[in-house]
Amino acid sequence: MNAQLKPFAATDFRLLIGGQLVSGASTFDVINPATEQVLAAAPRADLAQLNLAVAAAKSAFPAWAGRPLAERSQLLLKLADALAARSEEIAHLLTQEQGKPLAAARFEVGGAIGITRVIAGMELPVKVLQETASTRIVQQRTPLGVVAAITPWNFPLILLMTKVAPALLAGNTVVAKPAATTPLTTLRLGELCAQIFPAGVVNVIADANDLGSALTSHPDVAKVAFTGSTATGKKVMASVAATVKRLTLELGGNDAAIVLDDVDPKEVAPKIFHAAMINSGQVCLAAKRVYVHDSMYDALCAELAKLADAAVVGNGLDAATQFGPLQNKAQYDKVQGFVAEARQRGTIVAGGTPVAGPGYFIRPTIVRDMPEDARLVREEQFGPVLPVLRYSNLDDAIARANATEYGLGATIWATDLNRAYEVALKIDSGTVWVNKHLDLPPDVPMGGAKQSGFGTEMGQDGLEEFTQAKIINIARS
Ligand code: ADP
């Protein structure tokens, strides 16, 4: 297996605070999950640096908010161009810190660029709500202030830009904080921002998973845009209450895929496999449990098992690799726990065997005949271990799909699209895809139902969440 491309020097990564690229108060090691070797020493901010970053964002806010939206848009487009110019290097860095195959890393960098460009093209027009001889009432969209952008380790760059781009376009300033196991691409993005935006408009700090609550509870932060686990999201929600901050939470999911009885199992199997295994299952919107009609249960399990057996798992820098490692040791251990449960309570028809050598690798694993109360069915596995469940009555499958505190996404696989639409209407989730998965255009809003989220990202709705709706109500006579 490839090791890293070249060793990084201790000075290769810097925090961005008040327009300056600076060292952290200390450093922490970032591990390449494919090799378990130290990839780089990342700068680690302390509380004083976090406070400096918030102060810099606060003092940069009035001037940034005062610039026309068109100028802010131009600078976002410059950032997209700068990211494009460095995209190969950043994709390689992303593969090394996150583990995903290089093609997927390139796709993520391209996605981050695309999101930035689409959001830069959006506007916040003044809405005239009433216009009569005696009154004029308009709604303005004004920026909020300092936005804290907190991101997880599965899609460090895309999930950063779904926050930073609309925050900046709307006239807010930003303090971004990546996950402790994947800070490097975010720090690179900070370097690009340092060359483009006025000092303090974008600040990037990195931590060892210890500064999140100081950031979300900071009195000078006006809004928190967070993607992460539901457990941490609940803590964030509690910590913003004291100052009634605005909040967007994109949290976990336990998305069901429902396979109707009119599909060809051979045809849908690769699509369902992809929906479950993309990013080695570490996707909030991955298909996490599949409900399959009795009439094709055995056939679909066999097709999924074939695909899992053929999967090429390895270091993401190797051209043949389709699936990288789990991103970190804690997640690897957690998913191994699900594999152990599957061995006891179900039938593993592919995968489930140890992978030799270093790296947090788990082969795509297909599990059939799991009871509905298994942890693998009830909880979010966030890894490449997929339970395939049997149903004979469609209403029963829908009820089982909905019997969860989560409500992020779902997929319906069907030939009769009208029937699929009827099923989609009955699923309690923010998004339902029919015969496709993870189609997330930046101009279409995305948000979770139930405990999968709060608020919306992307689309005009997502942009407006970075603003205050301000009513100006004028008597004309
Ligand atoms: P996981 O549990 O999968 O590691 P988390 O949801 O805990 O993921 O982490 C997502 C992001 O939230 C990371 O950037 C992490 O550092 C940050 N974070 C962790 N704890 C808190 C907290 N109490 N408040 C705010 N952010 C936090």
Side-chain angles (χ1 to χ4, degrees):
M1 280 190 187
N2 277 322
Q4 65 200 47
L5 294 180
K6 71 172 176 64
F8 291 106
T11 50
D12 270 343
F13 297 95
R14 297 274 192 224
L15 310 175
L16 174 60
I17 300 176
Q20 302 296 313
L21 293 167
V22 297
S23 303
S26 58
T27 62
F28 62 100
D29 287 342
V30 178
I31 305 293
N32 179 336
T35 63
E36 297 181 54
Q37 302 288 307
V38 175
L39 175 61
R44 177 177 176 184
D46 62 7
L47 189 59
Q49 287 182 309
L50 179 145
N51 287 332
L52 282 175
V54 175
K58 186 184 177 187
S59 80
F61 173 65
W64 180 247
R67 290 173 80 151
L69 182 139
E71 283 182 29
R72 298 194 298 258
S73 164
Q74 282 308 312
L75 293 188
L76 273 176
L77 291 172
K78 262 180 113 168
L79 176 60
D81 290 347
L83 205 45
R86 300 268 296 268
S87 62
E88 263 305 282
E89 171 210 332
I90 292 174
H92 280 79
L93 184 61
L94 181 56
T95 288
Q96 291 175 90
E97 74 168 343
Q98 204 285 332
K100 63 186 65 192
L102 194 50
R106 289 183 175 126
F107 186 82
E108 178 167 352
V109 176
I113 295 166
I115 285 168
T116 306
R117 288 188 175 138
V118 170
I119 289 174
M122 292 182 176
E123 291 184 5
L124 290 164
V126 177
K127 268 192 208 152
V128 179
L129 303 180
Q130 280 191 26
E131 176 98 83
T132 66
S134 62
T135 201
R136 179 175 163 83
I137 307 177
V138 298
Q139 185 192 57
Q140 296 266 353
R141 288 279 172 183
T142 56
L144 298 166
V146 179
V147 169
I150 301 181
T151 45
W153 43 256
N154 59 342
F155 289 93
L157 218 44
I158 278 198
L159 295 174
L160 181 66
M161 293 320 297
T162 59
K163 297 164 181 57
V164 170
L168 294 180
L169 185 74
N172 304 281
T173 55
V174 170
V175 177
K177 194 203 80 60
T181 54
T182 54
L184 302 179
T185 44
T186 303
L187 293 165
R188 276 286 178 270
L189 192 95
E191 281 172 34
L192 302 181
C193 289
Q195 293 162 8
I196 294 169
F197 296 101
V201 167
V202 178
N203 303 271
V204 178
I205 58 160
D207 69 344
N209 207 21
D210 56 341
L211 289 180
S213 71
L215 183 56
T216 57
S217 60
H218 198 297
D220 290 333
V221 169
K223 168 168 174 129
V224 176
F226 173 89
T227 303
S229 62
T230 293
T232 304
K234 288 177 185 178
K235 290 186 198 159
V236 172
M237 199 162 186
S239 88
V240 305
T243 45
V244 195
K245 290 180 184 28
R246 301 302 177 264
L247 179 65
T248 310
L249 297 175
E250 295 296 343
L251 305 178
N254 191 9
D255 294 7
I258 302 184
V259 185
L260 302 198
D261 58 7
D262 62 355
V263 301
D264 173 357
K266 253 195 166 51
E267 201 192 305
V268 295
K271 297 175 192 166
I272 293 169
F273 185 74
H274 184 263
M277 300 298 174
I278 180 172
N279 216 37
S280 296
Q282 302 165 112
V283 186
C284 53
L285 283 154
K288 305 231 166 78
R289 48 200 171 116
V290 188
Y291 291 94
V292 183
H293 191 262
D294 226 8
S295 59
M296 65 185 68
Y297 183 76
D298 293 336
L300 190 58
C301 287
E303 288 298 326
L304 290 170
K306 256 194 244 168
L307 292 160
D309 283 338
V312 180
V313 175
N315 187 321
L317 293 179
D318 295 339
T321 294
Q322 295 171 317
F323 299 97
L326 279 287
Q327 199 281 315
N328 56 71
K329 177 78 164 65
Q331 190 60 25
Y332 172 82
D333 289 343
K334 189 173 159 193
V335 177
Q336 287 291 25
F338 286 115
V339 174
E341 187 205 33
R343 204 169 286 127
Q344 278 187 352
R345 300 196 68 192
T347 307
I348 296 176
V349 290
T353 47
V355 177
Y360 308 133
F361 294 102
I362 296 180
R363 286 197 60 81
T365 298
I366 307 295
V367 187
R368 56 173 288 169
D369 304 321
M370 280 299 264
E372 198 75 11
D373 68 352
R375 283 182 49 234
L376 180 60
V377 181
R378 309 298 329 143
E379 297 176 18
E380 179 178 37
Q381 68 274 50
F382 220 68
V385 183
L386 181 67
V388 187
L389 306 150
R390 187 194 295 267
Y391 77 86
S392 47
N393 173 297
L394 185 54
D395 285 336
D396 171 57
I398 294 167
R400 287 156 69 193
N402 284 334
T404 167
E405 69 271 23
Y406 292 113
L408 198 54
T411 51
I412 315 293
W413 304 91
T415 301
D416 179 343
L417 296 185
N418 291 326
R419 200 160 148 243
Y421 189 82
E422 290 305 313
V423 176
L425 286 174
K426 293 178 182 163
I427 300 292
D428 300 332
S429 68
T431 299
V432 183
W433 285 286
V434 175
N435 292 339
K436 58 162 131 172
H437 178 242
L438 270 196
D439 180 27
L440 291 166
D443 51 355
V444 173
M446 185 205 118
K450 299 193 276 185
Q451 292 186 30
S452 284
F454 187 86
T456 301
E457 283 195 327
M458 302 204 289
Q460 187 69 20
D461 296 0
L463 174 61
E464 289 178 1
E465 291 213 6
F466 289 91
T467 67
Q468 173 67 40
K470 176 173 171 180
I471 303 296
I472 303 179
N473 189 335
I474 304 166
R476 282 182 150 163
S477 55

